[in-house]
Amino acid sequence: MVGVYICPRGVFGVECRRKSSGIEILRSFEAHGRIDSAAGAIRQLTQVLSFHGIKGGELAVAVRGLGAAHHVLSFPRAADAVLDAIVTREVRRLEPQLENPAIGWTRLADGDASESDQAAQTDVLTAAFPGPVVTDLEDGIRAAGHTLLHLTTLSSALHRLAEEFLPAGEPGALIAQLPDGPFLGYTVDGAIRLAVEPPVRDEDALPDIEALTDEAELGALFVRQQFRGAQITRAAVIASDDAYADVEAAVGGRLAVPVERIPLPGLSAGAVAAFGALLDARSAHPVGVAGHTVERRSRQAGSKVRSVAVAIGSVAAVTGIWALSQAFAAKASADALHDSRRRIEAESFDFAPARSTADRRRTIRDAVAAVRQAQEERASLQRNLASIANSVPSAITLDSISLEQGPSTWQATMGGTATGPTSAQAVQSLGDFYRRLGSLAPVESLSLNQLSYSDTTGRSLVRFEVRFGVRSGSRD
């Protein structure tokens, strides 16, 4: 088994073998070089595997770049088949640039939500790739004489590392200083709920320790805001041997929490990410978009459907026999009920005009009341949205808002960008606006759905998506 991490700055891997107690790490390897296409990734991968004499390997591959995308999304609780269709639709909406996307997902832990809580939501971790990229990677690996065991994103690989090495019951931070740039993941209830990836251009050096700790502190602030005051209690670091001591001291001092290194001695940061791909491939619910893990999951789902079909057929046969025996008894009761209803209708015929008039008056009264209430609610909603729009700071630009009416609130999804001289200052502006939303309008269930970075000439830009409820009535 070979874990592989493919990123814009090279290929990193770890060779392992299966044992009864788990998997044993044999050696690691790396090949630095610019990668901007699936063909380039396959070329470097096959060269480094050949150089190290690895033939016929089963490859678990994690990718950052090449159009890969990941999200943590929240949905109402539902069966896997229902969630699968919803996840596919939502990822296509969020990532319209992906051509014929291949999508994988898994449920994250529900935390302290009870099974009887119908209003509770399920968080899912998703991975998506452009379809042509997946095809090129599969074909290239097969042509080189290897087997694609698993294909996923970097986020899924690091999620498994956090799951394996951070305590499940305490909020934590996973700080990874990878060869192509940092990845900061924050865990709540044993799963990464917030991921931050500061952008690093091809020609740039990796962010220094101060910039990394600034991002770590801002991420911890968002976790406290979004997850009911959750406080980060410890941090795990993935870094090269020469950088680890500095990262440990800086992160521990800034977050004021114990810091430890992921216990995989002798592996580079890229090789640790590659090991995370193997962990995801071996998990009970891998987040794969291609490979044998996806094929195995499809076969299991098909087997489950066939079993359910057989069970339904047996139940239907027994139900049919019982229904036939009851039909004769129901026939006599139905005849008696029909005779009684006919007598009642004949006796009440004289009251029909008066009853019809009363029904029409009641219908008109209810309709007028409903129209008046709807007008009041929409006027209140307009005032609340105007209050938000008039108070947006200059560093924040709103470019989209969608509304869905619920039983007692309007569910709003607001998207936009925050700008600043640095990514940290842009995120700080977003944090200030995020905190002020509750005072601008009667906002409920405020959550940050999306946070991504990009650099433009002379400034940093952070794209965000915020979801919240706005109460229909006026503020008392």
Side-chain angles (χ1 to χ4, degrees):
M1 299 176 62
V2 181
V4 177
Y5 173 47
I6 296 174
C7 68
R9 295 192 177 185
V11 172
F12 305 83
V14 56
E15 184 183 7
C16 304
R17 66 182 174 192
R18 294 182 178 87
K19 299 186 69 175
S20 57
S21 57
I23 52 179
E24 177 187 8
I25 297 175
L26 301 177
R27 57 176 169 169
S28 63
F29 55 86
E30 57 189 54
H32 296 270
R34 174 67 183 152
I35 292 179
D36 54 10
S37 66
I42 289 297
R43 184 166 55 252
Q44 283 206 30
L45 175 61
T46 54
Q47 286 176 354
V48 72
L49 292 177
S50 176
F51 178 80
H52 288 277
I54 300 174
K55 300 178 181 179
E58 294 182 347
L59 308 186
V61 181
V63 176
R64 178 154 69 174
L66 301 183
H70 63 91
H71 295 277
V72 175
L73 304 175
S74 295
F75 302 107
R77 289 185 177 178
D80 284 356
V82 176
L83 276 181
D84 192 58
I86 296 174
V87 169
T88 299
R89 181 200 66 193
E90 196 65 11
V91 170
R92 287 178 179 271
R93 182 184 71 82
L94 293 171
E95 304 291 345
Q97 77 283 359
L98 296 185
E99 178 185 352
N100 189 26
I103 300 170
W105 62 275
T106 191
R107 296 174 188 264
L108 299 178
D110 283 336
D112 55 1
S114 63
E115 290 297 329
S116 60
D117 185 3
Q118 296 299 319
Q121 292 188 316
T122 293
D123 289 343
V124 299
L125 174 63
T126 67
F129 283 75
V133 170
V134 174
T135 300
D136 290 346
L137 291 175
E138 285 183 308
D139 292 346
I141 290 173
R142 187 183 306 110
H146 303 285
T147 300
L148 180 59
L149 176 65
H150 188 61
L151 176 62
T152 190
T153 59
L154 170 66
S155 177
S156 302
L158 296 190
H159 168 71
R160 296 305 176 190
L161 289 167
E163 193 176 58
E164 185 76 19
F165 297 113
L166 280 172
E170 304 174 9
L174 180 66
I175 314 296
Q177 184 71 298
L178 297 172
D180 59 317
F183 180 102
L184 295 84
Y186 297 88
T187 64
V188 179
D189 296 323
I192 291 180
R193 311 285 175 162
L194 176 66
V196 180
E197 297 181 80
V200 178
R201 292 177 297 186
D202 296 340
E203 64 275 14
D204 291 346
L206 294 180
D208 59 22
I209 300 300
E210 183 177 357
L212 182 65
T213 52
D214 284 344
E215 296 285 356
E217 187 176 29
L218 285 171
L221 171 65
F222 271 105
V223 169
R224 286 198 299 273
Q225 292 174 343
Q226 189 173 355
F227 296 98
R228 297 171 296 189
Q231 186 72 37
I232 300 300
T233 60
R234 63 177 57 247
V237 169
I238 300 173
S240 60
D241 291 337
D242 57 344
Y244 172 71
D246 292 336
V247 174
E248 178 191 32
V251 170
R254 185 67 67 89
L255 299 185
V257 297
V259 179
E260 59 188 22
R261 191 175 187 180
I262 295 293
L264 295 172
L267 296 187
S268 66
V272 172
F275 186 76
L278 281 174
L279 291 180
D280 190 46
R282 290 173 58 84
S283 69
H285 303 285
V287 193
V289 302
H292 286 187
T293 56
V294 175
E295 296 169 4
R296 182 174 66 247
R297 187 174 61 208
S298 300
R299 288 195 300 269
Q300 291 172 347
S303 176
K304 184 181 296 184
V305 169
R306 287 192 296 272
S307 299
V308 170
V310 171
I312 290 175
S314 301
V315 172
V318 175
T319 303
I321 296 173
W322 176 83
L324 185 62
S325 65
Q326 295 297 314
F328 296 103
K331 179 66 167 60
S333 298
D335 291 342
L337 179 61
H338 178 71
D339 292 339
S340 298
R341 183 179 296 157
R342 188 171 52 195
R343 288 197 301 271
I344 292 172
E345 289 175 352
E347 293 173 358
S348 63
F349 177 77
D350 294 337
F351 297 99
R355 186 168 61 246
S356 176
T357 300
D359 288 343
R360 284 197 301 272
R361 287 176 177 173
R362 184 165 53 252
T363 300
I364 293 173
R365 184 178 65 249
D366 294 344
V368 171
V371 170
R372 184 180 296 113
Q373 181 181 5
Q375 291 174 340
E376 292 174 354
E377 289 181 356
R378 290 181 182 274
S380 174
L381 178 64
Q382 290 174 353
R383 288 194 299 271
N384 292 329
L385 293 179
S387 175
I388 294 174
N390 291 334
S391 303
V392 175
S394 58
I396 302 294
T397 302
L398 301 180
D399 54 28
S400 67
I401 183 168
S402 62
L403 296 169
E404 298 178 6
Q405 188 172 18
S408 60
T409 63
W410 287 81
Q411 293 297 316
T413 301
M414 180 183 298
T417 56
T419 57
T422 66
S423 296
Q425 290 174 321
V427 172
Q428 185 64 57
S429 298
L430 176 58
D432 294 340
F433 177 59
Y434 190 91
R435 286 192 297 272
R436 291 182 57 201
L437 271 179
S439 63
L440 298 175
V443 169
E444 298 177 345
S445 304
L446 184 61
S447 64
L448 181 68
N449 281 6
Q450 182 181 357
L451 186 69
S452 61
Y453 293 76
S454 63
D455 282 343
T456 58
T457 304
R459 64 173 185 169
S460 295
L461 183 145
V462 176
R463 178 164 294 280
F464 66 90
E465 184 178 272
V466 177
R467 184 173 176 84
F468 55 89
V470 180
R471 289 193 295 273
S472 301
S474 61
R475 298 182 71 181
D476 297 328

